[in-house]
């Protein structure tokens, strides 16, 4: 199926109705409160928001999470209660019970509609209670799913310190360096410094589990590139220093507001690279960073080749198969590019929102990958319409549909293999090291269903009444 | 504003959607922002539903905020009407649309002009009612609509079925063990010689609602959903109803006796006493279980009960009256219907607790240190933390509370299931204590005699720190695989780099 069909033209973008299923962006609190260990997330919204978080986060809710709802009641909506004193009461309670280093207010649809001035209230309250309050308006009126993280990080970017006078404090702050030089004496650290090339400071942005932070940092270190900091860091008090002229680079495709903020507000220089998803993406990401700093990458090609070789068993399962992305988390372009490189054909890339500038390098790599693999160029559907997509899925009969949970079981019952897209958001998929993990996810439905294949049960609905 | 970590009953629209999606060929359209269609995920996950959940959203976005929905809602209703030909489309407001105060009623009447099916607006106030109240009133609203419609057209059937018959009201999607309860109730009715006229809303067609009056009476087994409808049918059509949940041996008998009175009043002339006696003593195992020495061991054990009205009240009575267990307190989160609960359970427990604050309930559990808890998933987790066993008896529930096997809570088979649930909770608790006294099943040395117990390999400090970040349940495996990888390569020190090389090479 992958044999060169009509040689593709340029990428083709379409936009549908926006009637699609995705998670509410407030879901970002579920991974951000775990990432930023000294934070507390307060979602200012209604029962609807609370119900979503409670159900979407499943068992995590029982682990005394550092997040809560400020549940708005009728008196709040009709402004019979004073927003400021209400928020003050709750934030003091949080301060007393948890004593966090930062409280993040998540604005929701309701606070937008009743025009609650969170950005105005926060600095006043911050001064009064002595805890930084960061405001992120991660609501379903404007954003989808992972874009929630983008709004939080964009707000955090404003809080990164400009420079730090005291040397000890600088060391304190630099968590990653500390991690890498753990237990080493000062001279050793100094010696290690010389392993790095002379380049301007580089700060990476995007929330990653700590092991992935270590992996990507080490990956860059092999080429003499030093990561001066990471937005967000493990703790709010360790936010990286950002000065004018620093270089920044994103690790995830949904961080366009953060990128814009870093460029415009913090005067940083953005390295527009493909994202380090898949060995091809990781290599392109490192190459782009190296090229900006005028460094010749060493042994990258060999490293990529080794990774591909090590996952050949998985590749055999998916080569020549087709995949359809319904779209809900903005990772779709990078994943599609990776899967095309793996030898799959992508029939459609649904995506909630497409920032062609921020994802420019990724789109270019997608196009290039299609050409090199002789694969047809997929249609990119922004703001997809799930109903129409399902009609197209019936027509195309893809080997794999990457979709949300709302459609996964019904599609499986109709004999179509699905992979739940949200898992890619929570699994470790970045860097060379996690290639196997990502392929494990992609191939899981195919492996499972091939073991069930001979039972003759692939269609488990009575008749297809409609369509 | 209220600081909340957890809620027992969901927002109002969830109730409306539960009713709408329980019916066949009814479609709900939510007037909601992106991401509020989480109901579809829950239904698809928890109920493992094979079909698409008939719920779509008419998305409220920035443009809607600026200019109003204008044609959008009407277009979406008409479009869905064309695509799926539903019998009824229920426009469902959410908390967001409640404050936008758009004239949804107007959209509905406009859409009705172009739609083939019926269109209605779910009449629920988000800030005043919760999921359960909304479900109750939406069901009532739909039934009213079709009864009135049939009346107007003169299609309301006159007269009753020949044999005694019943409508079972309140079985719905995402309800706690509702599917199993429904099967059990149908069996029970068959045993009693009563025909099941209609079951609503689950699996019902709105076209059949006009047949509701043909039944001799209505059975509304759940306090939370269906009672409004039963009352309406009594008022409007003079249909009697039975609202005793047949949960537990005594309550089941009480329910059957009430049914007997209701149908005998209409000339049925039945006597269920012999049936009740036979079922109680020989078919259900619960009465015998109460008498057996197993249950004797439970006498006077302290428990607490928390849940919705139906299940918490029935469970309290079963524990206290049928098993001789000491219920220290019984509670409900149905604050709006607290008086009923108090009246039901006050003679069966020391104290009644009415609250929807999980912190307060957790504290109340910690305070009395019961031997077992019967509650929701939240209480199960409190139990885990305090090392107290817990049987789950009410929503909110997780996927494990949607069993594939047959597990009703109602009827005579239900009494068996409840007896198992109670008994298993306690034996686990006893076993736990015995293990504690005798120091566990195994000695600790045996457990730790793993392959990598004393390795000759040296882990650097940072590699060890990195290893500690690996979740506990796979850490041992990662450690072993990494060490094997290092040994194969003849390395004697494990650094972070070696760890990740091992992961890349062998998936450690």
């Amino acid at each position: 199926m992958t044999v060169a069909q009509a040689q593709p033209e340029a990428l083709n973008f379409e936009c549908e109705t926006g009637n699609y299923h995705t998670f509410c962006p407030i879901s970002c609190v579920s991974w951000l409160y775990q990432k930023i260990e000294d934070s507390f997330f307060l979602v200012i919204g209604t029962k609807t928001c609370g119900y979503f978080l409670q159900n979407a986060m499943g068992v995590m809710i029982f682990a005394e999470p550092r997040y809560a709802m400020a549940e708005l009641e009728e008196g709040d909506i009709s402004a019979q209660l004073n927003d400021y004193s209400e928020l003050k009461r709750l934030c003091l309670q949080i301060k007393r019970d948890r004593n966090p280093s930062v409280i993040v207010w998540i604005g929701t649809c309701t606070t937008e509609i009743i025009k609650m001035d969170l950005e105005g209230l926060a600095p006043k309250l911050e001064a009064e209670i002595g805890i930084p309050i960061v405001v992120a308006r991660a609501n379903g009126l404007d954003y989808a799913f992972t874009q929630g993280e983008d709004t939080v990080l964009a707000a955090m970017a404003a809080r990164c310190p400009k420079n730090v006078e005291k040397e000890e404090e600088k060391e304190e702050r630099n968590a990653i360096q500390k991690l890498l030089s753990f237990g080493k004496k000062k001279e050793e650290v100094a010696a290690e410094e010389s392993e790095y090339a002379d380049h301007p400071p580089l700060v990476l942005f995007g929330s990653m589990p700590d092991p992935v932070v270590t992996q990507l940092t080490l990956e860059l270190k092999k080429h003499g590139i030093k990561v001066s900091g990471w937005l967000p860091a493990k703790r709010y008090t360790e936010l990286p220093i950002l000065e004018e002229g620093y270089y920044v680079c994103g690790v995830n495709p949904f961080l366009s507001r953060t990128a814009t903020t870093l460029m415009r507000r913090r005067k940083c220089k953005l390295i527009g690279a493909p994202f380090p998803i898949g060995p091809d993406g990781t290599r392109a990401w490192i190459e782009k960073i190296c090229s900006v700093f005028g460094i010749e990458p060493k042994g990258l090609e060999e490293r990529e080749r080794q990774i591909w070789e090590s996952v050949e068993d998985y590749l055999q399962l998916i080569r020549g198969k087709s995949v359809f992305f319904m779209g809900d988390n903005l990772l779709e372009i990078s994943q599609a590019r990776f899967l095309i490189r793996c030898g799959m054909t992508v029939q459609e890339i649904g995506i909630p929102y497409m920032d062609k500038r921020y994802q420019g390098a990724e789109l270019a790599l997608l196009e290039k990958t299609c050409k090199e693999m002789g694969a047809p160029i997929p249609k990119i559907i922004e703001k997809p319409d799930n109903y129409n997509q399902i009609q197209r899925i019936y027509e195309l009969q893809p080997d794999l549909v990457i979709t949300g949970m709302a459609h996964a079981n019904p599609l499986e019952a109709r004999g179509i293999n699905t992979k739940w897209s949200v898992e890619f958001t929570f699994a470790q998929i970045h860097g060379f090291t996690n290639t196997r993990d990502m392929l494990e996810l992609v191939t899981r439905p195919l492996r499972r269903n091939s073991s069930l294949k001979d039972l003759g049960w692939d269609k488990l609905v009575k008749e297809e009444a409609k369509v | 504003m209220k600081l909340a970590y957890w809620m027992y009953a969901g927002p109002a629209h969830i109730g409306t959607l539960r009713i709408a999606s329980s019916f066949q060929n009814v479609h709900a359209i939510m007037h909601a922002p992106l991401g509020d269609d989480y109901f579809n995920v829950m239904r698809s996950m928890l109920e493992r539903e094979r079909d698409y959940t008939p719920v779509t959203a008419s998305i409220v976005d920035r443009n809607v905020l600026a200019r109003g929905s204008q044609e959008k809602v009407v277009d979406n209703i008409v479009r869905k009407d064309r695509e799926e030909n539903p019998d009824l489309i229920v426009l469902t407001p959410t908390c967001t649309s409640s404050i936008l105060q758009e004239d949804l009623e107007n959209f509905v009447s406009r859409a009705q002009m172009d739609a083939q099916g019926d269109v209605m607006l779910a009449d629920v106030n988000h800030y005043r009612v919760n999921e359960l109240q909304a479900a109750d009133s939406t069901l009532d609203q739909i039934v009213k609509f079709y009864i009135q419609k049939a009346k107007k057209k003169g299609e309301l059937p006159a007269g009753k079925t020949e044999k005694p018959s019943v409508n079972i009201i309140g079985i719905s999607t995402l309800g706690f063990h509702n599917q199993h309860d429904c099967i059990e109730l149908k069996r029970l009715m068959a045993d009693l010689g009563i025909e099941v006229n209609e079951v609503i809303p689950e699996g019902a067609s709105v076209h059949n609602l006009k047949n509701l009056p043909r039944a001799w009476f209505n059975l509304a087994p759940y306090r939370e959903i269906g009672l409004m409808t039963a009352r309406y049918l009594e008022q409007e059509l003079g249909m009697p109803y039975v609202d005793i949940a047949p949960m537990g041996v005594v309550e089941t008998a009480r329910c059957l006796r009430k049914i007997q009175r209701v149908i005998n009043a209409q000339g049925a002339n039945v006597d269920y006493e012999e049936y009740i006696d036979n079922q109680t003593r020989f078919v259900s195992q619960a009465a015998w279980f109460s008498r057996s020495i197993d249950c004797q061991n439970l006498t006077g054990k302290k428990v607490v009960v928390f849940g919705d009205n139906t299940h918490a009240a029935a469970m309290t009575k079963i524990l206290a009256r049928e098993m001789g267990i000491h219920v220290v307190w019984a509670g409900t989160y149905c604050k709006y219907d607290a008086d009923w609960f108090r009246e039901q359970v006050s003679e069966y427990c020391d104290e009644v607790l009415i609250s929807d604050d999980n912190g307060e309930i957790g504290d109340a559990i910690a305070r009395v240190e019961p031997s077992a808890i019967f509650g929701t998933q939240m209480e199960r987790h409190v139990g885990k933390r305090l090392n107290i066993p817990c049987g789950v008896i009410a929503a909110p529930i997780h996927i494990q509370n949607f069993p594939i096997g047959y597990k009703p809570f109602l009827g005579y088979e239900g009494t068996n299931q409840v007896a198992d649930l109670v008994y298993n909770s306690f034996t686990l608790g006893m076993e736990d204590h015995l293990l504690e006294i005798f120091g566990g099943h195994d000695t600790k040395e045996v457990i730790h005699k793993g392959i990598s117990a004393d390795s000759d390999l040296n882990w650097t400090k940072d590699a060890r720190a990195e290893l500690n970040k690996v979740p506990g349940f796979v850490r041992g495996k990662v450690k072993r695989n990494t060490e094997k990888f290092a040994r194969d390569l003849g390395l004697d020190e494990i650094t972070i780099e070696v760890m990740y090389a091992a992961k890349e090479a062998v998936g450690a």
Side-chain angles (χ1 to χ4, degrees):
Chain A
M1 257 169 95
T2 46
V3 193
Q5 296 172 356
Q7 260 316 308
E9 341 66 77
L11 290 172
N12 176 9
F13 296 91
E14 275 175 39
C15 187
E16 280 191 305
T17 62
N19 280 320
Y20 64 100
H21 165 76
T22 181
F23 273 17
C24 174
I26 60 172
S27 53
C28 68
V29 308
S30 68
W31 65 88
L32 288 175
Y33 90 76
Q34 301 208 17
K35 173 71 196 180
I36 309 170
E37 288 172 359
D38 53 352
S39 63
F40 190 97
F41 284 78
L42 183 67
V43 182
I44 304 163
T46 62
K47 256 188 183 320
T48 306
C49 313
Y51 196 66
F52 163 70
L53 281 177
Q54 173 172 324
N55 286 297
M57 288 199 233
V59 290
M60 286 205 297
I61 226 85
F62 303 108
E64 292 242 355
R66 289 184 319 281
Y67 97 84
M69 292 291 308
E71 195 182 310
L72 301 170
E73 291 165 303
E74 205 163 10
D76 299 301
I77 306 298
S78 53
Q80 284 162 342
L81 295 167
N82 178 281
D83 297 339
Y84 183 77
S85 54
E86 288 295 295
L87 284 167
K88 184 178 161 189
R89 185 170 56 82
L90 300 193
C91 288
L92 283 172
Q93 196 180 332
I94 292 165
K95 184 182 176 184
R96 193 190 61 218
D97 296 346
R98 306 294 183 97
N99 196 27
S101 309
V102 62
I103 298 177
V104 183
W105 286 354
I106 303 289
T108 61
C109 303
T110 311
T111 56
E112 288 297 309
I113 295 169
I114 64 175
K115 302 203 183 338
M116 193 184 281
D117 181 21
L118 297 178
E119 274 98 345
L121 297 173
K124 277 189 242 160
L125 195 55
E126 180 172 319
E128 201 168 339
I129 68 170
I131 295 180
I133 295 174
V134 171
V135 180
R137 300 204 272 174
N139 61 70
L141 295 167
D142 301 302
Y143 305 110
F145 197 9
T146 49
Q147 288 180 289
E149 177 182 321
D150 194 22
T151 62
V152 174
L153 296 189
M156 289 267 176
R159 301 300 184 114
C160 292
K162 269 230 167 77
N163 49 44
V164 180
E165 284 84 40
K166 278 184 262 158
E167 200 52 38
E168 316 97 73
E169 203 185 330
K170 201 163 192 168
E171 258 170 42
E172 186 80 11
R173 203 164 266 290
N174 222 329
I176 296 160
Q177 282 330 111
K178 208 169 66 178
L179 179 84
L180 292 176
S181 57
F182 195 79
K184 286 182 187 131
K185 290 197 192 78
K186 222 172 188 165
E187 305 86 76
E188 284 178 64
V189 177
E192 211 165 73
E193 286 292 295
S194 65
E195 290 173 25
Y196 292 111
D198 186 25
H199 66 80
L202 171 70
V203 172
L204 301 179
F205 59 94
S207 167
M208 291 282 136
D210 293 330
V212 182
V213 168
T214 314
Q215 287 158 15
L216 290 178
T217 307
L218 284 172
E219 217 61 75
L220 288 173
K221 188 183 165 195
K222 285 184 187 155
H223 306 282
I225 295 169
K226 183 176 165 185
V227 178
S228 314
W230 203 298
L231 174 70
K234 243 172 118 64
R235 303 176 64 81
Y236 177 77
T237 48
E238 290 165 359
L239 279 179
I241 299 164
L242 283 177
E243 281 179 52
E244 187 169 342
Y246 273 32
Y247 280 82
V248 290
C249 187
V251 293
N252 261 327
F254 44 78
L255 297 171
S256 52
R257 277 174 69 91
T258 309
T260 311
T261 309
L262 290 170
M263 285 190 293
R264 300 211 180 130
R265 301 276 159 115
R266 306 305 304 253
K267 311 282 180 228
C268 296
K269 291 178 185 156
L270 178 71
I271 302 177
F275 302 100
I277 291 172
D280 50 338
T282 308
R283 178 182 164 189
W285 182 71
I286 296 172
E287 274 174 348
K288 183 64 194 280
I289 296 173
C290 285
S291 79
V292 168
F293 293 145
I295 295 167
E296 186 66 40
K298 297 174 290 260
L300 253 186
E301 205 178 322
E302 173 65 11
R303 180 123 172 81
E304 188 193 352
R305 197 182 51 77
Q306 274 171 357
I307 296 288
W308 284 122
E309 271 169 19
S310 72
V311 295
E312 179 58 28
D313 49 340
Y314 281 123
L315 297 183
Q316 280 173 6
L317 293 170
I318 53 173
R319 208 168 270 144
K321 298 242 163 53
S322 57
V323 58
F324 188 111
F325 288 86
M326 286 186 77
D328 75 342
N329 59 13
L330 285 93
L331 295 171
E332 293 88 2
I333 302 285
S334 312
Q335 282 181 338
R337 176 261 302 150
F338 164 64
L339 290 180
I340 292 170
R341 179 60 71 184
C342 291
M344 294 186 88
T345 321
V346 176
Q347 293 168 325
E348 175 167 327
I349 308 177
I351 186 168
Y353 168 74
M354 180 76 245
D355 185 333
K356 287 182 199 161
R357 284 177 67 192
Y358 177 63
Q359 293 220 43
E362 183 63 84
L363 288 168
L365 183 59
L366 170 68
E367 213 175 330
K368 184 172 154 235
T369 304
C370 287
K371 282 202 184 107
E372 286 176 5
M373 298 301 290
I377 289 213
K379 258 196 297 191
I380 296 172
I381 311 272
E382 210 182 340
K383 286 168 166 280
D385 183 298
N386 281 167
Y387 182 86
N388 296 344
Q389 284 185 312
I390 285 169
Q391 313 311 311
R392 293 198 287 270
I393 287 170
Y394 289 159
E395 214 167 281
L396 295 166
Q397 290 289 318
D399 295 310
L400 181 67
V401 175
I402 296 183
T403 178
M405 200 67 222
H407 296 108
N409 268 339
L411 285 169
E412 288 283 351
R414 284 158 184 76
I416 291 168
N417 299 324
T418 61
K419 182 75 227 142
W420 188 26
S421 53
V422 174
E423 281 190 69
F424 293 104
T425 326
F426 297 127
Q428 301 184 1
I429 61 170
H430 291 74
F432 288 120
T433 314
N434 295 305
T435 308
R436 178 165 277 274
D437 291 30
M438 184 159 43
L439 284 168
E440 167 75 23
L441 285 180
V442 173
T443 57
R444 191 175 294 158
L446 302 171
R447 283 178 288 130
R448 195 270 310 262
N449 291 349
S450 76
S451 57
L452 302 181
K453 199 173 58 194
D454 299 331
L455 296 171
W457 294 338
D458 50 339
K459 290 227 168 61
L460 292 155
V461 281
K462 282 220 173 106
E463 26 67 79
E464 208 42 56
K466 269 155 237 135
V467 187
Chain B
M1 263 179 230
K2 196 172 88 181
L3 197 63
Y5 296 87
W6 169 265
M7 67 183 82
Y8 285 98
H13 72 267
I14 297 289
T16 299
L17 298 179
R18 276 178 59 186
I19 297 301
S21 59
S22 293
F23 278 106
Q24 261 180 38
N25 213 22
V26 170
H27 200 100
I29 294 185
M30 302 167 69
H31 188 235
L34 196 63
D36 272 4
D37 59 352
Y38 191 71
F39 177 79
N40 298 29
V41 176
M42 290 181 63
R43 186 157 183 268
S44 179
M45 281 282 277
L46 300 178
E47 298 237 323
R48 288 179 210 91
E49 184 53 62
R50 298 167 198 226
D51 281 312
Y52 300 99
T53 302
V55 174
T56 40
S58 175
I59 304 280
V60 175
D61 57 13
R62 244 333 127 175
N63 292 329
V64 170
L65 214 55
R67 305 175 303 135
S69 291
Q70 298 188 353
E71 300 303 314
K72 199 171 181 178
V73 176
V74 178
D75 288 349
N76 278 324
I77 295 174
V78 176
R79 174 184 164 188
K80 202 38 77 178
D81 180 71
R82 208 181 51 232
E83 283 168 356
E84 316 238 334
N85 303 309
D87 297 322
L88 169 68
I89 291 179
V90 180
L91 181 60
T92 309
T94 58
C95 57
T96 308
S97 64
S98 296
I99 29 177
L100 283 177
Q101 299 196 325
E102 286 196 89
D103 190 357
L104 297 180
E105 199 69 68
N106 173 38
F107 294 154
V108 164
S109 46
R110 273 169 56 206
Q112 183 64 83
M113 291 192 281
D114 293 326
Q116 301 290 310
D118 296 311
V119 187
M120 73 162 62
L121 173 67
D123 185 18
V124 289
N125 180 328
H126 251 83
Y127 293 91
R128 304 225 169 131
V129 298
N130 69 20
E131 168 187 353
L132 300 170
Q133 293 163 288
D136 203 14
S137 76
T138 302
L139 180 60
D140 179 53
Q141 194 188 347
I142 293 176
V143 169
K144 244 182 217 165
F145 180 84
Y146 282 99
I147 293 284
Q148 302 294 355
K149 191 175 167 184
K151 234 183 191 174
K152 232 179 263 169
K153 287 189 173 172
E155 285 175 350
L156 218 51
K160 301 283 172 188
T161 54
E162 203 174 311
K163 280 192 193 163
S165 61
V166 61
N167 298 317
I168 300 173
I169 301 179
I171 308 288
S172 78
T173 188
L174 291 174
F176 182 70
H177 292 246
N178 272 203
Q179 311 284 357
H180 309 295
D181 283 350
C182 184
I183 296 170
E184 187 62 21
L185 288 175
K186 283 181 180 167
R187 284 186 186 170
L188 190 59
M189 294 303 131
D191 279 358
L192 300 175
I194 296 173
E195 282 172 8
V196 175
N197 185 51
E198 295 287 337
V199 176
I200 60 168
E202 187 61 43
S205 156
V206 291
H207 297 308
N208 293 352
L209 291 177
K210 62 172 183 288
N211 296 331
L212 285 173
R214 285 175 57 76
W216 290 32
F217 72 103
N218 293 315
L219 174 61
Y222 306 118
R223 177 76 192 167
E224 292 78 19
I225 301 177
L227 207 53
M228 259 176 104
T229 310
R231 284 185 184 139
Y232 164 75
L233 292 171
E234 185 191 43
Q235 249 173 29
E236 184 75 14
L237 304 162
M239 297 177 75
Y241 66 86
V242 175
D243 63 347
I244 300 164
M247 184 170 157
V249 178
V250 180
E251 290 296 289
T252 304
R254 200 159 75 88
C255 176
L256 298 191
R257 291 194 180 107
K258 176 87 186 280
I259 292 174
Q260 177 182 313
R261 270 205 306 285
V262 163
I263 60 175
N264 280 349
Q266 298 175 61
N269 193 23
V270 292
D271 182 1
Y272 294 146
E273 287 307 325
E274 199 186 322
Y275 174 77
I276 293 171
D277 183 59
N278 189 49
Q279 287 286 325
T280 305
R281 292 199 296 144
F282 305 112
V283 178
S284 158
Q285 298 296 314
W288 160 235
F289 169 76
S290 313
R291 186 75 208 196
S292 71
I293 48 164
D294 280 339
C295 194
Q296 210 178 80
N297 284 338
L298 304 182
T299 309
K301 289 256 176 230
K302 286 199 297 183
V303 299
V304 298
V305 179
F306 190 79
D308 59 7
N309 269 355
T310 307
H311 293 92
M315 204 60 201
T316 306
K317 291 178 194 170
I318 293 172
L319 292 163
R321 192 163 58 185
E322 297 177 18
M323 296 179 179
I325 292 166
H326 179 193
V327 181
V328 185
W329 59 258
T332 178
Y333 54 82
C334 299
K335 281 164 91 173
Y336 62 94
D337 196 17
D339 292 342
W340 180 86
F341 186 76
R342 254 189 224 104
E343 182 211 310
Q344 292 289 310
V345 303
S346 41
E347 60 177 303
Y348 300 108
C349 57
D350 303 348
E351 197 189 324
V352 176
L353 181 66
I354 311 287
S355 171
D356 56 4
D357 174 354
N358 68 294
E360 193 183 337
I361 291 144
D363 290 347
I365 294 173
R367 175 165 51 83
V368 303
E369 288 187 37
S371 319
I373 307 167
F374 296 93
T376 71
Q377 278 291 337
M378 190 68 202
E379 283 67 50
R380 192 173 74 84
H381 282 267
V382 173
K384 256 191 192 166
R385 206 174 294 166
L386 300 173
N387 259 322
I388 303 170
C390 176
V392 174
I393 55 151
I397 37 184
H398 282 175
I399 193 148
Q400 67 265 39
N401 303 114
F402 289 87
I404 301 170
Y406 186 53
K407 291 207 163 60
F409 270 65
L410 302 186
Y412 287 109
E413 178 55 27
T415 62
N416 295 337
Q417 297 292 338
V418 172
D420 275 345
L421 181 76
V422 171
Y423 187 63
N424 289 341
S425 304
F426 279 109
T427 38
L428 288 175
M430 297 263 280
E431 202 173 329
D432 242 23
H433 291 307
L434 288 174
L435 287 175
E436 207 164 278
I437 292 167
F438 294 109
H441 283 297
D442 297 313
T443 54
K444 291 204 163 88
E445 283 80 358
V446 178
I447 294 172
H448 283 285
K449 203 172 176 184
I451 309 165
S452 57
D454 51 343
S455 74
D456 46 341
L457 287 160
N458 179 28
W459 286 69
T460 63
K461 232 172 172 182
D462 46 349
R464 191 166 292 281
E466 196 69 12
L467 180 67
N468 282 333
K469 287 182 198 159
V470 175
F473 59 96
V474 286
R475 198 178 297 147
K477 181 181 157 228
V478 170
K479 185 161 185 269
R480 276 196 302 278
N481 286 347
T482 308
E483 289 180 349
K484 182 172 181 298
F485 173 81
R487 266 191 216 104
D488 290 350
L489 288 181
L491 302 169
D492 51 5
E493 190 180 65
I494 296 175
T495 60
I496 297 191
E497 283 89 346
V498 173
M499 262 182 88
Y500 288 127
K503 181 173 157 66
E504 285 160 24
V506 292

